Each structure stands twice: as C-alpha cells, then as structure tokens.
Amino acid sequence: MEPGTARIAVDLLGGDEAPAVVVDGALRAVRADPDLHLLLVGPTEVAAGVVDALTPAQRTRITIRATRTAAGPADHAPRADSTVRAAVSAVRDGAADALVSAGSTGATVSAAALGFGRWTDVRRPALVASLPAVSGPVILLDVGGSLEPRPATLARHAVLGAAYAAVAHAIVAPRVGLLSVGTEAGKGDRPRRTADPLLAAAPLPCDARYVGLVEGYDVTLGLRADVVVTDGFTGNVLLKAIEGAYAMAGGPPASGGAPRAAALLGVAGTVVVCHGAATPDDVASGIALAAHLWRRRATDRVREQVAGLPTGDGTDQEHGEALAGSAGHPAADHREPKGWP
C-alpha cells in the first residue's frame, strides 16, 4: 500500500446496481487502506449505510455531500445537482483529491471536461485501462472516452498512453503499438493507415518508441507493445471480449482480470470511471486506483510529460472534426447506454 492521504469523492448513485454495490465497494476500500478518506456523494440515508457499518475510528475518514439526482445515460451535460457533477465540484473546490464513478461514461467524461477543463492540446479525453498480459501489464486506450477513430486522436492518445505507462506503471521506455488487422504497413482502415506514419514520425515522451502496427493478441501477450492504441469503440469491444474469454475459461488469470476501472486522461483532474456492471470488488479497486494515481501525482506528471509535444490536430480536418458537434459537449460522441466499459 502506497503511503499518503488520499481523499476520494465517490458517486453513490453511479452504476447498474447502485447504490448497494457502491456502498459495499466503499466499505471494502476504507477497510483496506488506513490512509484513505472518502467523500460520499449521494442521498444522506445511503451514505449513512456506509458510516454505520464502520468502526468509530474509520468513521472519522468519511464525509458526506448530499444530493439525490443521478446522471442518466443520455445526460451528456449532466445537471449541476447530479452526483457526478457534485463529485467534480468537490474535487475542483479542494474538498477531495480525485473522483470515482460507475455511472454513465458519457455523463462522467462530460462532467469532468466541463468542470475541470480539458488540456489545451487534447481535444478528446481518453479512458486508459491496464490489462494483465503474459509479459507484464499492457496499457490499452481508448476504451470508451471517444468512439470516433480519427488519425490525430489516435496519435495524441499514443502520447498520453506512453506517458501514463511510465508514470503510473513505471514502465521504462514504453513500446507503443497501433491496433490493426495486421502488422504490415498499409494494413487497416483509413484512420489507421493515416495514423501509422504520423506515429512513426511523432516524438513520444518518456523515451517511448513506436513499434508499428500490432494485432489483437498482442494486447494479451504483451510481447511487442506495452501500450496499445485504438479508438474507443474498438477498445471497448476488445475489453469486453477479453472479459468474456476469461469467463469461458473459468475465470481470469492469477495475476488479475480485465479491469473494471479506467483512468481518464486529458482533463485537469484525477478521474476514474468504473464498469457500469461493477461488483463491490470492482468499485473498491476503482477507488484504490484513484488513490494510487493521486499519490503518484499521475495526472499532473502525465500532463508535464506531454506538454509541448506536437498535437498533429490538423490531420483531423479532412475528417470534418474541427470540434463540430463536440464544442460545449466534450463527450457528445459517446453513446454507451450504460457505464464503461
């Protein structure tokens, strides 16, 4: 367990089985980490269920911010009194260090982007997941923050993924690959064929190097790449397919299963989005991830690593981006009906 106090705002109403699952996960997280403080955002009677189940000493690490409105899957600009907006406000105002939600991904990404602001050189924030692989962890992004596969977005997310691998997982000189249907140059659809030479020429942070196109099995083997970049639609589908494969095989490997929590990169705050179908253990692991990222100053350090690197955003003009449809709605292209992934 990493030392240092971490204050995490928890959206009590986010998730398919909220609030019961979130309450159970919060209890497990507090009991596992003596330096963890939780700000429970939701109905007072729900938060009281957490407090009442704790010892007197543990209760001193719990505070409550009362609100009764949950953000729905269609709320790309959730109401100011929603739990996720209240959690964002708590972090922005200094009452918490990071936030965790298992609610609608679109609503969470939008609330974070609107409340914290996006990094000036990141148009579309990315959700990044860490998967267990044969040769070590593999960083996969995007897994649902932005569903559209634009070349410049893929290139920019490669930069974010490389920095995250080095900062959050201490991977030295990360190897970055672009997910496609083959490893030969020219393979894949137009966005990937365009992004491949962009990445080959782009400077990457943390001594990272681009290894070219990779295939699906490279995500679970980890032999060719430490960071695998794809669009949010494909990444989301791949992650669920890996979960299904684990279930069919009788469970995840001993080193851990496919994650039910992902870090949001590209906004000026520490945000973790849990699986909408999260279990109590998944919620607890999402809270632990948020605490880990805060204690490592991961968001700030990733931002420092990518600051000043070319964005390549001009290539998106041929695909008609120019922020059309996304200005004022940072997650407007996210149509996931439940929570991530």
Side-chain angles (χ1 to χ4, degrees), residues 31-316:
R31 290 164 176 161
D33 184 347
D35 293 325
L36 180 68
H37 294 243
L38 295 186
L39 172 63
L40 304 177
V41 184
T44 303
E45 65 273 19
V46 174
V50 178
V51 175
D52 292 345
L54 296 173
T55 67
Q58 291 167 340
R59 291 173 188 170
T60 64
R61 297 188 276 124
I62 303 294
T63 53
I64 299 170
R65 181 165 293 197
T67 184
R68 308 190 67 85
T69 304
D75 294 334
H76 290 304
R79 290 170 41 173
D81 62 347
S82 65
T83 50
V84 69
R85 283 283 297 274
V88 168
S89 295
V91 176
R92 186 186 59 207
D93 298 342
D97 302 318
L99 74 91
V100 174
S101 178
S104 162
T105 304
T108 304
V109 173
S110 181
L114 290 169
F116 298 137
R118 287 174 289 179
W119 296 345
T120 56
D121 48 0
V122 175
R123 287 183 173 183
R124 298 183 181 274
L127 282 170
V128 53
S130 304
L131 285 77
V134 172
S135 62
V138 168
I139 310 305
L140 176 66
L141 77 165
D142 186 12
V143 295
S146 174
L147 302 187
E148 299 296 331
R150 295 178 170 88
T153 301
L154 293 169
R156 194 57 180 166
H157 287 178
V159 172
L160 297 178
Y164 183 84
V167 169
H169 291 277
I171 297 176
V172 178
R175 302 163 298 168
V176 179
L178 178 64
L179 188 66
S180 190
V181 295
T183 60
E184 303 87 357
K187 285 282 190 176
D189 56 6
R190 184 182 180 187
R192 264 142 283 253
R193 293 198 307 270
T194 304
D196 184 31
L198 281 178
L199 280 167
L204 296 174
C206 305
D207 296 321
R209 60 187 178 91
Y210 179 58
V211 298
L213 302 178
V214 297
E215 298 184 77
Y217 47 73
D218 291 309
V219 177
T220 52
L221 294 178
L223 298 175
R224 295 192 62 232
D226 306 298
V227 178
V228 175
V229 181
T230 189
D231 61 277
F233 181 91
T234 305
N236 191 287
V237 171
L238 176 60
L239 205 57
K240 289 174 180 175
I242 292 173
E243 281 190 343
Y246 287 160
M248 186 173 65
S255 59
R260 295 275 180 124
L264 181 64
L265 299 180
V267 299
T270 301
V271 180
V272 169
V273 181
C274 291
H275 197 307
T279 66
D281 281 341
D282 297 329
V283 173
S285 68
I287 294 171
L289 173 60
H292 166 75
L293 296 176
W294 169 254
R295 286 163 175 157
R296 286 204 172 193
R297 291 185 55 250
T299 299
D300 290 341
R301 291 171 61 196
V302 169
R303 181 71 187 96
E304 292 165 1
Q305 292 292 341
V306 305
L309 291 178
T311 66
D313 280 349
T315 60
D316 275 345

